[in-house]
Amino acid sequence: MADGYNKPIPIPQPESDHYWEGAKAGELRLRKCDDCNKAYFYPRNICPDCGNNNTSWIVASGKAKVHTFAIVHRPPHPGFMDDLPYVPAIVELEEGPRMATQLVNVTPEPEAISIDMPVKVVFESITDEISLPKFEPA
Amino acid sequence: MADGYNKPIPIPQPESDYYWEGAKAGELRLRHCDDCNQAYFYPRNICPECGNNNTSWIVASGKAKVHTFAIVHRPPHPGFMDDLPYVPAIVELEEGPRMATQLINVTPEPEAISIDMQVKVVFESITDEISLPKFEPA
Amino acid sequence: MPVMDRLKAISGSAAIVGVAESDRFGRTPDRGPMELHAEAGRNALADAGIDKSEVDGVFTSGGYSTYDIAEYMGIAPHFTDSTSVGGSSFVIHIAHAMAAIEAGYCEVALITYGQTGRSDRARGALNLYGVTPGLPNAQYEAPFGIIGPPIAYSMAANRYMHQYGEDRTREAMANVAVSTRKWANMNEKAHFYDTPMTFDEYHDSRWISWPFHLLDCCLVTDGGAAVVITSAERAKSTRKGGVAILGAAEGHDHAILHQMPDLTRTWGRNTGPQALEMAGVTHSDLDMAMIYDSFTYTVLVTLESLGFCGPGESPDFVANQRTAPGGDFALNTNGGGLSYAHPGSYGIFTVLEAVRQLRGETGERQLDDCKLAMAHGTGGLLSSTGTVVLGRE
């Protein structure tokens, strides 16, 4: 844990505690609907497609490709001041769903990052309970 | 100021700063519509009756009668724990408007307080900027 | 699905009879948002020539419930609607008002808006990051620094650039910024009334969140606005007569950004066609369009979603200052959220300008023979949309 971490920290909720436990353990866990046979994000007990509760957890491969990104130069929150410029992104997981994240270990310049580039998950520990799934070039 | 005051503290807003300055100075200031020739509460630049801006400030006499009250035995907020039981009230000011307040210097028992009983304003200083208008038997 | 026959049956059954901004507009450090609601409400009622006591339906959004605003203003309504889906809410309220009037729930509807984004920021009172732990963004977006509209919209814009070409998209964003500024230079209420913008200034402005420059982003100002609606019948006896509500549509398809099905298509893909069909008109019949321009990209994605042009075609649509004064597509003639005003939720201002153009009240920037207008709001993170088609004989 980085002492003095002052960015927003997720507070696990009834439908997401298993997700965050997974992230802490180095697993990217996804919800999957066993009726639709399809993974979805973010974690919900009820499938957003069919509305049924016949849902389970799977462990994602962690492989993804960049769906979009930006390069932030003006902090939306004081906690991000020292990170500028940083690279928020949406990635498309191998299993299908998209999720929001941050790209790390990339040069924060438009020329250095491309949409569709392959990335893989890395977990950044921010508190004893929470690790954030970020992505770096695969 | 009572050190460690831990109840909600008003934050003066553009339309109420003069009201709170008055309370700190020991004056109960009311808004008055010069078109309707009528005082109103809470302070607004625009008259809630006619909608005009032809409004001014007056200083209330501080005399009022109890419109209703309750006797609180379960704190709605931790700050009120040590005050139990306390007596929130709505009083009707001599000038007409009603306002919410607290009755003090009364025995917090139903038998000791009556609706329509005469009360007068007293100001309780809670911070360097804020005094609360409370009411006690006249 | 919306039942078009029934929608067509109520097309034109209600009319906008009053519109106004608050007296204080732009920067109001000594005024709170509720007062701006009330000022604008009073001014819109005066515009209509209707007394406050006749208001029996109230509509608002943006941090206050209708009971907050109605209490402040001294109104006790019989119909109340605090639908809150971001900046499009106030456009959506128009359809709700028409439906309520048609059904008999109320006769005079008042929609009010007021925000002090600029002064809140100066006061340090802006709580942009007050995330609610139980809402998905607190867990799945904010921790990654995806907070607030500029970052989210810039991420959507980058996807658009990837799909349809970065250079032409950049040029289109510049075209929108510059053409909108030209309109603002003709609107004395506009924040940038006295300040022109060159293409170079656009391209040289600092990065906020790449691909957005500062000049891709809307203003942050203070201000209020209000709209009064009544039945078409009653509208005839109001001070200025009515601007007919001919078509209206609303909806949303996500709340947080990564849940958006397609970052290059908004729900306007449904509300544009629905509102036009309800009105019995087509895109080419419109004399003007007011499209919520929270960012330059918002205009591009919205033009396409509404059906003014096909996917990826908006850079051509806005090329060569086509949407500037004198161009052949009148867009955001008040100067928009980019250059006129943007206190936080801009949607209602699209309606104000459309009504004023239809009434012929806009002075230097008045369009010739303006009879049919579209006003369109977007809310959240490209999440919700509301579209209305307004007309005057």
Side-chain angles (χ1 to χ4, degrees), chain A residues 69-73 83-87 103 105-113, chain C residues 210:
Chain A
F69 66 96
I71 303 173
V72 176
H73 291 265
D83 298 352
L84 299 179
Y86 68 91
V87 186
L103 300 186
N105 302 327
V106 292
T107 308
E109 288 169 9
E111 300 73 25
I113 309 164
Chain C
W210 182 91

Side-chain angles (χ1 to χ4, degrees), chain B residues 13-15 42-53, chain C residues 24 29-32 35 38-39 42 52 71-74 123:
Chain B
Q13 300 295 313
E15 292 178 279
Y42 47 91
R44 278 156 281 186
N45 289 339
I46 295 169
C47 170
E49 188 71 21
C50 70
N52 292 341
N53 264 89
Chain C
R24 286 88 170 173
D30 58 337
R31 305 289 158 180
E35 184 176 2
E39 263 184 14
R42 179 184 62 202
K52 178 165 73 78
E71 173 191 88
Y72 183 108
M73 293 186 69
R123 284 195 283 265

Side-chain angles (χ1 to χ4, degrees), chain C residues 186 353 356-357 360-367:
Chain C
M186 300 167 80
E353 178 69 4
R356 286 171 172 159
Q357 286 283 1
E361 294 179 339
T362 58
E364 188 189 357
R365 65 182 191 279
Q366 179 63 44
L367 303 169

Side-chain angles (χ1 to χ4, degrees), chain C residues 297-331:
Chain C
Y297 172 66
T298 317
V299 175
L300 302 182
V301 67
T302 303
L303 283 169
E304 294 174 12
S305 299
L306 291 172
F308 285 100
C309 55
E313 291 175 0
S314 64
D316 305 322
F317 190 87
V318 303
N320 303 314
Q321 292 292 286
R322 180 163 174 254
T323 60
D328 57 42
F329 187 84
L331 177 70

Side-chain angles (χ1 to χ4, degrees), chain A residues 7-137:
Chain A
K7 304 179 186 70
I9 297 172
I11 301 171
Q13 301 293 314
E15 292 177 282
S16 67
D17 43 10
H18 191 71
Y19 174 80
W20 290 112
E21 283 167 28
K24 181 45 78 182
E27 283 186 356
L28 183 62
R29 296 179 182 166
L30 290 179
R31 276 330 281 265
K32 176 173 181 280
C33 176
D34 295 329
D35 286 343
C36 300
N37 195 30
K38 198 162 76 165
Y40 57 88
F41 191 85
Y42 47 89
R44 280 155 279 185
N45 289 340
I46 294 169
C47 171
D49 221 51
C50 69
N52 291 342
N53 265 85
N54 187 19
T55 52
S56 55
W57 288 93
I58 60 170
V59 177
S61 71
K63 293 180 191 165
K65 58 181 183 175
V66 174
H67 185 70
T68 192
F69 66 96
I71 303 173
V72 176
H73 291 265
R74 184 178 182 281
H77 177 290
F80 292 90
M81 185 70 83
D82 295 337
D83 298 352
L84 299 179
Y86 68 91
V87 186
I90 295 172
V91 296
E92 185 175 307
L93 300 172
E94 192 176 49
E95 293 78 9
R98 290 183 203 142
M99 64 182 286
T101 184
Q102 235 181 53
L103 300 186
V104 293
N105 302 327
V106 292
T107 308
E109 288 169 9
E111 300 73 25
I113 309 164
S114 59
I115 285 175
D116 289 337
M117 76 185 242
V119 290
K120 64 176 198 289
V121 72
V122 287
F123 292 94
E124 183 181 309
S125 177
I126 60 167
T127 70
D128 290 346
E129 291 78 34
I130 298 291
S131 292
L132 295 180
K134 299 191 173 181
F135 284 76
E136 64 178 11

Side-chain angles (χ1 to χ4, degrees), chain B residues 19-27 123 125-131:
Chain B
Y19 173 81
W20 290 111
E21 282 168 30
K24 180 46 75 182
E27 284 187 356
F123 292 94
S125 177
I126 60 168
T127 70
D128 289 346
E129 291 78 34
I130 298 291
S131 291

